[in-house]
Amino acid sequence: MRFTSSSTLGALVSQPTTEATAILVAQLSVGLTIEQAAAAPKLFQLSRQYGEDEIRKLLAVILRAFVDSVRVPDKPTVADILDLADTLLLTYSHDSLRDIVLALKQARTTGTIFYQALDPATIYGLLKTYFEKKAQYLEQQHLDQKARSTAAENSALTQLQQAAPQLAAGIGRQLPPDHPNLDHLRQRLTLIKQKAKRGLLTDEQAQQLRDETQAAARRDPRPDWQPSPEAQKLINARHRAEDRRLAEKYRPNSAA
């Protein structure tokens, strides 16, 4: 709702709440929850976007609608409502307009007894109670979320710890991809796994056979097999000669 600049706060608040205004305020509160109110734009943000005067008017209209909905003979005056709107805009600048609406709705629908009178102090008290409950609720939500997150992390860590030995063992059992007997060693490991799964081998026997297979797959470097520098030069020269011979043999015939 946006009021025209010619409207004054006094004129707005002095008039009884119209049906259209009551419907608008009711629509703001339908299905409203604390989470939704907490996520809604804050009063200072609305003031920047629409101007403080417009938000102050809107607060005054909402307060007047609340006052009119409470059936007591002694109610706040127009001046009281104007002062309330101005104070709320400053006091709860980092809370939302929906917070104010929800606080007043809860006060009206949860059986609050006003003892034939409704004054500004009572409204301040209602709002204070709401924001205290809101803070406790959001804190509990944060703690619950933190607990769920911690539980999920602990569960993931436990699963990782349980899987770590198997992963390490699997990595340790990986065969060198360039081993000349790679296929044979893989078949042997597969056979060991199948026999262990069928109960034909005990865990100790299966592990012993795996260790033996890994030992057979290990290829330690043999520096004594490496050629001497002089022999390596001869080998390189022979390779270059072979490369030249092949290049001459398969060179395209330019005459053709």
Side-chain angles (χ1 to χ4, degrees):
M1 175 184 291
R2 187 174 180 87
F3 300 100
T4 61
S5 58
S6 60
S7 299
T8 63
L9 278 172
L12 284 169
V13 180
S14 62
Q15 300 172 2
T17 302
T18 64
E19 183 179 358
T21 302
I23 292 174
L24 173 63
V25 176
Q27 288 175 341
L28 286 174
S29 64
V30 171
L32 188 58
T33 63
I34 291 180
E35 292 91 342
Q36 293 172 343
K42 307 302 181 278
L43 289 177
F44 80 92
Q45 294 172 326
L46 295 175
S47 296
R48 288 179 182 176
Q49 185 173 359
Y50 300 105
E52 283 191 2
D53 289 342
E54 294 297 328
I55 304 307
R56 189 179 291 106
K57 291 174 186 177
L58 189 53
L59 282 170
V61 170
I62 291 172
L63 288 168
R64 177 58 195 259
F66 170 71
V67 169
D68 288 346
S69 69
V70 178
R71 290 179 172 79
V72 293
D74 189 6
K75 297 183 179 183
T77 64
V78 172
D80 291 334
I81 294 176
L82 296 178
D83 185 63
L84 268 169
D86 189 62
T87 302
L88 295 183
L89 185 60
L90 297 176
T91 304
Y92 299 109
S93 60
H94 284 67
D95 294 291
S96 71
L97 186 68
R98 289 180 179 270
D99 276 315
I100 305 297
V101 172
L102 183 58
L104 298 177
K105 175 185 178 181
Q106 289 183 353
R108 190 177 65 255
T109 59
T110 55
T112 303
I113 300 176
F114 296 101
Y115 299 104
Q116 300 300 311
L118 177 64
D119 56 17
T122 302
I123 297 177
Y124 286 130
L126 296 174
L127 293 171
K128 181 181 178 182
T129 300
Y130 166 82
F131 283 109
E132 288 176 350
K133 290 181 178 179
K134 173 189 173 184
Q136 294 173 358
Y137 176 83
L138 294 179
E139 182 180 6
Q140 188 60 48
Q141 289 292 102
H142 173 71
L143 293 176
D144 291 344
Q145 183 178 2
K146 186 176 180 180
R148 288 193 296 269
S149 177
T150 302
E153 291 176 359
N154 291 337
S155 176
L157 180 60
T158 300
Q159 293 177 0
L160 182 60
Q161 289 173 340
Q162 293 174 349
Q166 299 177 359
L167 292 173
I171 293 173
R173 289 196 297 268
Q174 288 182 351
L175 300 173
D178 59 345
H179 197 284
N181 294 325
L182 179 62
D183 292 338
H184 171 71
L185 295 174
R186 281 179 175 171
Q187 291 174 1
R188 183 176 180 182
L189 287 174
T190 301
L191 185 61
I192 294 170
K193 181 178 180 180
Q194 291 175 350
K195 286 185 176 181
K197 187 180 294 185
R198 295 175 183 176
L200 301 177
L201 294 173
T202 64
D203 292 341
E204 292 77 9
Q205 291 173 332
Q207 187 58 45
Q208 181 180 355
L209 291 174
R210 292 191 192 99
D211 293 341
E212 292 175 357
T213 305
Q214 290 298 319
R218 189 177 301 112
R219 302 170 69 193
D220 297 327
R222 295 292 302 272
D224 54 315
W225 287 4
Q226 303 301 319
S228 64
E230 293 77 10
Q232 186 64 51
K233 290 180 181 180
L234 294 174
I235 293 172
N236 293 339
R238 187 165 63 248
H239 288 169
R240 287 194 296 270
E242 182 67 14
D243 291 341
R244 287 194 298 270
R245 186 185 69 81
L246 293 174
E248 290 291 337
K249 181 177 180 180
Y250 295 103
R251 177 180 297 173
N253 190 349
S254 58

